[in-house]
Amino acid sequence: MRVHFVVHEAFEAPGAYARWALDRQHTVTYSRLHAGESLPPAADDIDLLVVMGGPQSPATTTAECPHFDAAAEMSLIASCTAAGKAVVGVCRKSAPSL
């Protein structure tokens, strides 16, 4: 299986998800957007797309966050789902302060 991770920020690493894929000897690739890496142009080389969380939202503009392009991500997600690929979105909610 070919697993591709979209990572928005260094502090939102795929951790256990990547370990799961590697332990099963799946092919793992990344788009570390915070480091300037690009998204794949299409779903062709992806069996499972995992989109990690971050402080961005679909309404975040490139002026607010230069490495985040919501339209490009939505296009990749749509391409994957249209091709019958699995897509997982991971979001963690901050714990309330005590």
Side-chain angles (χ1 to χ4, degrees):
M1 179 184 296
R2 299 164 298 173
V3 181
H4 187 80
F5 291 95
V6 176
V7 183
H8 298 101
E9 303 294 344
F11 58 83
E12 293 290 348
Y17 300 101
R19 176 62 26 219
W20 172 86
L22 292 168
D23 286 349
R24 285 155 182 79
Q25 299 181 347
H26 297 316
T27 300
V28 175
T29 55
Y30 298 88
S31 291
R32 294 175 188 95
L33 302 178
H34 60 90
E37 296 176 0
S38 301
L39 291 171
D44 299 339
D45 296 326
I46 300 170
D47 297 310
L48 169 61
L49 177 67
V50 181
V51 182
M52 300 304 298
Q56 304 84 356
S57 77
T60 301
T61 66
T62 53
E64 296 168 315
C65 184
H67 65 269
F68 179 68
D69 183 344
E73 281 192 38
M74 289 187 283
S75 177
L76 177 60
I77 292 166
S79 173
C80 286
T81 57
K85 312 295 177 115
V87 177
V88 175
V90 180
C91 183
R92 76 171 173 88
K93 186 170 177 121
S94 299
S97 41
L98 302 175

